[in-house]
Amino acid sequence: MIYGNFFSKDSQFFKYRMTTSKVVLLGDKCSKIPAIINRATTTFFDSEDPGITSGAAYVIKPIQLQENTVNLHIWDLACQERYLPIIPKYVCHSAVVIFVFSLTDRDSLFNVTRYYDVVKQNSKEFPILFLV
């Protein structure tokens, strides 16, 4: 078989998948995703930050798991109506999808189902899901 060792632990593909993981956060603009990402990647949290993303934002957060360093490629997608068509491209091949809603906006919780449907329709390998 030509590609017999492609998925073995010694292959470059396997090493890349084990050291890089794509994480996507989806939620309405009221859910303050930028503040959550800022807190996860630094030690700073600003509850007064308006937390609105225009388009998509991207950051890499290295984490240590046993003897391996895993680079989390964290994507914040602005889930405004005009950006909904780009979401399928970002959720494809995601290892983790985090749905974020605001306790102060009931619609943001109901919209999670819409984002879930997009993930379900566009993920080749179904990612780990969180609701925050």
Side-chain angles (χ1 to χ4, degrees):
M1 181 173 354
I2 296 172
Y3 299 106
N5 294 325
F6 190 70
F7 291 104
S8 73
K9 290 184 180 181
D10 296 326
S11 75
Q12 290 298 101
F13 176 79
F14 185 83
K15 290 176 184 175
Y16 177 78
R17 284 288 287 164
M18 293 305 292
T19 60
T20 305
S21 291
K22 185 176 179 184
V23 179
V24 177
L25 284 86
L26 298 172
D28 287 356
K29 62 183 178 181
C30 63
S31 57
K32 298 195 179 213
I33 292 174
I36 294 169
I37 292 175
N38 192 31
R39 177 62 181 105
T41 57
T42 67
T43 58
F44 181 73
F45 181 76
D46 184 3
S47 62
E48 300 301 317
D49 182 4
I52 297 172
T53 304
S54 177
Y58 171 75
V59 66
I60 297 174
K61 169 69 175 177
I63 61 170
Q64 196 67 31
L65 292 176
Q66 296 174 354
E67 68 275 353
N68 299 320
T69 299
V70 177
N71 290 312
L72 299 178
H73 292 237
I74 304 171
W75 288 90
D76 169 14
L77 303 181
C79 293
Q80 300 164 28
E81 206 59 43
R82 64 183 172 180
Y83 296 115
L84 290 178
I86 68 168
I87 292 174
K89 291 177 177 59
Y90 286 95
V91 299
C92 184
H93 303 294
S94 295
V96 176
V97 174
I98 302 172
F99 301 105
V100 183
F101 71 98
S102 173
L103 291 173
T104 62
D105 185 346
R106 175 182 266 198
D107 290 338
S108 71
L109 178 59
F110 295 131
N111 287 335
V112 166
T113 59
R114 180 171 54 166
Y115 306 136
Y116 172 79
D117 290 339
V118 171
V119 171
K120 186 176 174 183
Q121 293 170 3
N122 295 285
S123 297
K124 295 180 179 166
E125 297 175 15
F126 207 71
I128 298 169
L129 304 176
F130 291 96
L131 179 63
V132 178

PDB file of all heavy atoms in Angstrom, residues 17 20-24 91 93-97 125-129:
ATOM      1  N   ARG A  17      -0.547  16.778  13.307  1.00  0.00           N
ATOM      2  CA  ARG A  17      -1.878  16.730  13.920  1.00  0.00           C
ATOM      3  C   ARG A  17      -1.782  16.697  15.439  1.00  0.00           C
ATOM      4  O   ARG A  17      -2.627  17.220  16.130  1.00  0.00           O
ATOM      5  CB  ARG A  17      -2.670  15.512  13.442  1.00  0.00           C
ATOM      6  CG  ARG A  17      -3.229  15.613  12.070  1.00  0.00           C
ATOM      7  CD  ARG A  17      -4.374  16.560  11.973  1.00  0.00           C
ATOM      8  NE  ARG A  17      -5.566  15.997  12.582  1.00  0.00           N
ATOM      9  CZ  ARG A  17      -6.623  16.697  12.911  1.00  0.00           C
ATOM     10  NH1 ARG A  17      -6.655  17.974  12.711  1.00  0.00           N
ATOM     11  NH2 ARG A  17      -7.668  16.144  13.454  1.00  0.00           N
ATOM     12  N   THR A  20      -0.631  20.426  16.584  1.00  0.00           N
ATOM     13  CA  THR A  20      -1.420  21.572  16.149  1.00  0.00           C
ATOM     14  C   THR A  20      -2.898  21.216  16.214  1.00  0.00           C
ATOM     15  O   THR A  20      -3.307  20.200  15.670  1.00  0.00           O
ATOM     16  CB  THR A  20      -1.061  21.954  14.696  1.00  0.00           C
ATOM     17  OG1 THR A  20       0.340  22.179  14.619  1.00  0.00           O
ATOM     18  CG2 THR A  20      -1.791  23.201  14.265  1.00  0.00           C
ATOM     19  N   SER A  21      -3.673  22.049  16.882  1.00  0.00           N
ATOM     20  CA  SER A  21      -5.120  21.823  16.962  1.00  0.00           C
ATOM     21  C   SER A  21      -5.852  23.126  16.698  1.00  0.00           C
ATOM     22  O   SER A  21      -5.490  24.168  17.233  1.00  0.00           O
ATOM     23  CB  SER A  21      -5.520  21.283  18.335  1.00  0.00           C
ATOM     24  OG  SER A  21      -5.031  19.980  18.507  1.00  0.00           O
ATOM     25  N   LYS A  22      -6.873  23.039  15.880  1.00  0.00           N
ATOM     26  CA  LYS A  22      -7.679  24.206  15.522  1.00  0.00           C
ATOM     27  C   LYS A  22      -8.863  24.296  16.477  1.00  0.00           C
ATOM     28  O   LYS A  22      -9.627  23.347  16.635  1.00  0.00           O
ATOM     29  CB  LYS A  22      -8.160  24.055  14.083  1.00  0.00           C
ATOM     30  CG  LYS A  22      -8.904  25.239  13.541  1.00  0.00           C
ATOM     31  CD  LYS A  22      -9.215  24.954  12.079  1.00  0.00           C
ATOM     32  CE  LYS A  22      -9.977  26.027  11.409  1.00  0.00           C
ATOM     33  NZ  LYS A  22     -10.322  25.641  10.036  1.00  0.00           N
ATOM     34  N   VAL A  23      -8.995  25.459  17.111  1.00  0.00           N
ATOM     35  CA  VAL A  23     -10.086  25.729  18.043  1.00  0.00           C
ATOM     36  C   VAL A  23     -10.870  26.917  17.502  1.00  0.00           C
ATOM     37  O   VAL A  23     -10.289  27.954  17.199  1.00  0.00           O
ATOM     38  CB  VAL A  23      -9.555  26.055  19.459  1.00  0.00           C
ATOM     39  CG1 VAL A  23     -10.688  26.369  20.409  1.00  0.00           C
ATOM     40  CG2 VAL A  23      -8.690  24.922  19.980  1.00  0.00           C
ATOM     41  N   VAL A  24     -12.185  26.764  17.382  1.00  0.00           N
ATOM     42  CA  VAL A  24     -13.032  27.826  16.850  1.00  0.00           C
ATOM     43  C   VAL A  24     -14.057  28.213  17.903  1.00  0.00           C
ATOM     44  O   VAL A  24     -14.697  27.357  18.499  1.00  0.00           O
ATOM     45  CB  VAL A  24     -13.748  27.369  15.557  1.00  0.00           C
ATOM     46  CG1 VAL A  24     -14.693  28.440  15.046  1.00  0.00           C
ATOM     47  CG2 VAL A  24     -12.735  27.005  14.482  1.00  0.00           C
ATOM     48  N   VAL A  91     -14.827  26.125  10.335  1.00  0.00           N
ATOM     49  CA  VAL A  91     -15.118  24.993  11.218  1.00  0.00           C
ATOM     50  C   VAL A  91     -14.649  23.661  10.645  1.00  0.00           C
ATOM     51  O   VAL A  91     -14.475  22.689  11.372  1.00  0.00           O
ATOM     52  CB  VAL A  91     -16.611  24.909  11.605  1.00  0.00           C
ATOM     53  CG1 VAL A  91     -17.044  26.151  12.352  1.00  0.00           C
ATOM     54  CG2 VAL A  91     -17.499  24.658  10.418  1.00  0.00           C
ATOM     55  N   HIS A  93     -12.337  20.840   9.685  1.00  0.00           N
ATOM     56  CA  HIS A  93     -11.086  20.345  10.276  1.00  0.00           C
ATOM     57  C   HIS A  93     -10.790  20.934  11.654  1.00  0.00           C
ATOM     58  O   HIS A  93      -9.629  20.957  12.072  1.00  0.00           O
ATOM     59  CB  HIS A  93      -9.899  20.583   9.346  1.00  0.00           C
ATOM     60  CG  HIS A  93     -10.062  19.967   8.001  1.00  0.00           C
ATOM     61  ND1 HIS A  93     -10.117  18.606   7.809  1.00  0.00           N
ATOM     62  CD2 HIS A  93     -10.221  20.518   6.776  1.00  0.00           C
ATOM     63  CE1 HIS A  93     -10.277  18.349   6.539  1.00  0.00           C
ATOM     64  NE2 HIS A  93     -10.359  19.484   5.875  1.00  0.00           N
ATOM     65  N   SER A  94     -11.784  21.408  12.369  1.00  0.00           N
ATOM     66  CA  SER A  94     -11.575  21.898  13.734  1.00  0.00           C
ATOM     67  C   SER A  94     -11.506  20.723  14.694  1.00  0.00           C
ATOM     68  O   SER A  94     -12.259  19.768  14.574  1.00  0.00           O
ATOM     69  CB  SER A  94     -12.717  22.816  14.161  1.00  0.00           C
ATOM     70  OG  SER A  94     -12.726  23.970  13.379  1.00  0.00           O
ATOM     71  N   ALA A  95     -10.613  20.821  15.658  1.00  0.00           N
ATOM     72  CA  ALA A  95     -10.536  19.805  16.708  1.00  0.00           C
ATOM     73  C   ALA A  95     -11.543  20.111  17.803  1.00  0.00           C
ATOM     74  O   ALA A  95     -12.114  19.208  18.410  1.00  0.00           O
ATOM     75  CB  ALA A  95      -9.135  19.749  17.294  1.00  0.00           C
ATOM     76  N   VAL A  96     -11.767  21.411  18.046  1.00  0.00           N
ATOM     77  CA  VAL A  96     -12.664  21.858  19.109  1.00  0.00           C
ATOM     78  C   VAL A  96     -13.482  23.035  18.601  1.00  0.00           C
ATOM     79  O   VAL A  96     -12.951  23.921  17.941  1.00  0.00           O
ATOM     80  CB  VAL A  96     -11.866  22.302  20.366  1.00  0.00           C
ATOM     81  CG1 VAL A  96     -12.784  22.850  21.441  1.00  0.00           C
ATOM     82  CG2 VAL A  96     -11.011  21.171  20.906  1.00  0.00           C
ATOM     83  N   VAL A  97     -14.776  23.035  18.931  1.00  0.00           N
ATOM     84  CA  VAL A  97     -15.632  24.189  18.670  1.00  0.00           C
ATOM     85  C   VAL A  97     -16.266  24.582  20.000  1.00  0.00           C
ATOM     86  O   VAL A  97     -16.838  23.743  20.700  1.00  0.00           O
ATOM     87  CB  VAL A  97     -16.723  23.900  17.621  1.00  0.00           C
ATOM     88  CG1 VAL A  97     -17.668  25.089  17.488  1.00  0.00           C
ATOM     89  CG2 VAL A  97     -16.096  23.569  16.280  1.00  0.00           C
ATOM     90  N   GLU A 125     -14.577  15.473  10.343  1.00  0.00           N
ATOM     91  CA  GLU A 125     -14.393  14.742  11.587  1.00  0.00           C
ATOM     92  C   GLU A 125     -15.055  15.597  12.654  1.00  0.00           C
ATOM     93  O   GLU A 125     -14.649  16.726  12.876  1.00  0.00           O
ATOM     94  CB  GLU A 125     -12.917  14.574  11.910  1.00  0.00           C
ATOM     95  CG  GLU A 125     -12.158  13.759  10.887  1.00  0.00           C
ATOM     96  CD  GLU A 125     -10.673  13.723  11.200  1.00  0.00           C
ATOM     97  OE1 GLU A 125     -10.279  14.079  12.322  1.00  0.00           O
ATOM     98  OE2 GLU A 125      -9.920  13.339  10.312  1.00  0.00           O
ATOM     99  N   PHE A 126     -16.084  15.057  13.314  1.00  0.00           N
ATOM    100  CA  PHE A 126     -16.854  15.879  14.239  1.00  0.00           C
ATOM    101  C   PHE A 126     -15.974  16.322  15.411  1.00  0.00           C
ATOM    102  O   PHE A 126     -15.348  15.492  16.072  1.00  0.00           O
ATOM    103  CB  PHE A 126     -18.083  15.114  14.727  1.00  0.00           C
ATOM    104  CG  PHE A 126     -19.205  16.023  15.125  1.00  0.00           C
ATOM    105  CD1 PHE A 126     -19.900  16.721  14.169  1.00  0.00           C
ATOM    106  CD2 PHE A 126     -19.548  16.186  16.450  1.00  0.00           C
ATOM    107  CE1 PHE A 126     -20.925  17.571  14.517  1.00  0.00           C
ATOM    108  CE2 PHE A 126     -20.575  17.041  16.815  1.00  0.00           C
ATOM    109  CZ  PHE A 126     -21.270  17.730  15.838  1.00  0.00           C
ATOM    110  N   PRO A 127     -15.885  17.632  15.678  1.00  0.00           N
ATOM    111  CA  PRO A 127     -15.007  18.138  16.724  1.00  0.00           C
ATOM    112  C   PRO A 127     -15.586  17.949  18.132  1.00  0.00           C
ATOM    113  O   PRO A 127     -16.772  17.625  18.299  1.00  0.00           O
ATOM    114  CB  PRO A 127     -14.914  19.632  16.390  1.00  0.00           C
ATOM    115  CG  PRO A 127     -16.220  19.936  15.724  1.00  0.00           C
ATOM    116  CD  PRO A 127     -16.588  18.680  14.961  1.00  0.00           C
ATOM    117  N   ILE A 128     -14.758  18.178  19.121  1.00  0.00           N
ATOM    118  CA  ILE A 128     -15.215  18.231  20.500  1.00  0.00           C
ATOM    119  C   ILE A 128     -15.960  19.547  20.663  1.00  0.00           C
ATOM    120  O   ILE A 128     -15.500  20.593  20.208  1.00  0.00           O
ATOM    121  CB  ILE A 128     -14.016  18.175  21.465  1.00  0.00           C
ATOM    122  CG1 ILE A 128     -13.281  16.850  21.280  1.00  0.00           C
ATOM    123  CG2 ILE A 128     -14.456  18.366  22.906  1.00  0.00           C
ATOM    124  CD1 ILE A 128     -11.935  16.802  21.980  1.00  0.00           C
ATOM    125  N   LEU A 129     -17.130  19.508  21.305  1.00  0.00           N
ATOM    126  CA  LEU A 129     -17.965  20.703  21.441  1.00  0.00           C
ATOM    127  C   LEU A 129     -18.075  21.128  22.908  1.00  0.00           C
ATOM    128  O   LEU A 129     -18.163  20.293  23.802  1.00  0.00           O
ATOM    129  CB  LEU A 129     -19.366  20.433  20.911  1.00  0.00           C
ATOM    130  CG  LEU A 129     -19.478  19.943  19.465  1.00  0.00           C
ATOM    131  CD1 LEU A 129     -20.919  19.628  19.118  1.00  0.00           C
ATOM    132  CD2 LEU A 129     -18.906  20.981  18.514  1.00  0.00           C
TER     133      LEU A 129
END
